[in-house]
Amino acid sequence: MNTKPRIVVLGAGYAGMMTTKKLMKNLSPEEAEIVLVNKHNYHYQTTWLHELAAGTINQNQVRIMIRDIINPNRVRLIYDTVVKIDKDDSRVILENSELTYDYLVVCLGYETNTFGIKGMNEHAFFIEDFDSCRLIREHIEYQFAKYNNDPDADESSLNILVGGGGFTGIEFIGELVEKVPKLCKKYDIDRGKVKVINVEAAPSILPNFDKDLVTYAKKSLQERGAHIMEDTRINECTQEGFIVGENNELIKAGTIVWTGGVTGNSILGTSGFELTKGKVMVHGDLRAPGYDNIFILGDCAWVMNKQENRPYPPTAQAAMQHATTCGNNIRALIHNEPLEEFVFSDKGTVASLGVTDGMGAILGDKKLYGKSAAAMKKIVDDRYLFLLGGPILLLKKGKVRPF
């Protein structure tokens, strides 16, 4: 009789992949059965999606086949869609089957949050996953190709309108101001006819960044042709563009992309978890309140910074650190050992503003600008690849190429 505990990991994002890797290291095949469930047979770098959407990176570089990283002889891989988590019966209901579990790790990622803005769901694209970003890229190029065949068409069809001036929105703008001149050259279109517009409701873009860094980012983007509209509320999204401000001004565009917010996966709510702003407020050991065998990580979880009495930012580096704590704690539970509390080690945050530009802060308060920041961003991305798949994956997918 098989008495090995079964650990089921839902989602193959940063937290899910790294948790699975940690469990493989922490537990022998005789100690536990590990199951990884994901909708697709590939993993992708979420922090590269804005580049895929803008068309500045090859889509094959973003996507990594799961079985190339996770040995299917060691971990059972199931490619299916999660429908519901039955917490009381310790079951996961999938579209095509169901699973029981002894320990569950929920890493189902985020969904776009439009904050109820009328028409946003119907008329805007979202930087949400691999397929949605590939669709954005194709749509932008289609708008240029269509205009090239009909020079008398409305110039506003070339405009690219981005709602939300947070991390993703600004990084996307940074890629667009580099991609647009190349598209103009390819389709013989005057660069002056194309507007790249960012609309942010808050008084400033990048609200979580230092003022000097924000000033640098704005200047860099504006000098390369971006139009940044701060303190501008989006009242409605239509097929033509955004209706904004007290005067209900219409900003027209052929491509409309919303990057203004995300929330935890909706399966959390339909499965009966208690939510705070769309996510589960987990304990310090990353377990869901009331369930000793369920861990919730990444974009699905709020993890409190007890010193500052607020949640840690839901970043990729945080998700990777969640994985380490979770992997250690599941091993501890199996062996009846004490669990550890999650402690976030902030390595800093760097935002790209295009291929050769960026800004951010590392090692506490050391500020980086320009090419040095862009280089550091690539190093951070490559570090994840190395941790995930070692030198082979780094050489295959990495951004920093040896000379």
Side-chain angles (χ1 to χ4, degrees), residues 5-8 33 35 76 78 86 89-94 97-104 293:
R6 175 184 286 170
I7 308 165
V8 175
E33 176 192 4
V35 182
R76 183 181 170 194
I78 297 177
D86 185 341
D89 288 340
S90 295
R91 290 186 308 152
V92 178
I93 300 164
L94 309 175
S97 63
E98 62 179 54
L99 280 167
T100 59
Y101 61 84
D102 295 289
Y103 302 97
L104 182 67
N293 63 338

Side-chain angles (χ1 to χ4, degrees), residues 307-337:
Q307 290 184 331
E308 298 185 11
N309 196 32
R310 63 178 181 178
Y312 290 109
T315 61
Q317 66 168 312
M320 292 164 62
Q321 292 179 35
H322 291 172
T324 299
T325 300
C326 178
N328 290 342
N329 282 344
I330 289 178
R331 185 189 183 283
L333 285 171
I334 290 173
H335 293 280
N336 295 312
E337 296 172 353

Side-chain angles (χ1 to χ4, degrees), residues 223-288:
E223 285 178 348
R224 288 179 285 157
H227 300 260
I228 297 176
M229 302 175 64
E230 297 169 311
D231 203 15
T232 303
R233 184 174 181 270
I234 300 172
N235 302 321
E236 183 179 350
C237 177
T238 71
Q239 192 171 0
E240 290 185 293
F242 290 156
I243 297 175
V244 303
E246 295 181 359
N247 297 324
N248 287 320
E249 175 192 356
L250 174 62
I251 305 172
K252 297 177 71 174
T255 304
I256 306 166
V257 182
W258 171 251
T259 68
V262 297
T263 187
N265 194 292
S266 57
I267 289 168
L268 296 170
T270 58
S271 299
F273 288 98
E274 183 178 344
L275 303 181
T276 302
K277 294 184 177 180
K279 304 183 184 187
V280 177
M281 188 73 73
V282 298
H283 293 310
D285 57 20
L286 304 182
R287 290 187 289 182

Side-chain angles (χ1 to χ4, degrees), residues 3 14 32 46 52 96 114 120 124 143 145 149 161 185 230 238 255 267 277 281 283 311-312 323 367 372:
T3 58
Y14 291 107
T46 307
L52 176 60
N96 300 300
T114 62
M120 196 65 78
Q143 293 298 101
N149 289 323
L161 188 55
K185 184 177 180 180
E230 297 169 311
T238 71
T255 304
I267 289 168
K277 294 184 177 180
M281 188 73 73
H283 293 310
Y312 290 109
K367 297 175 186 177
S372 60

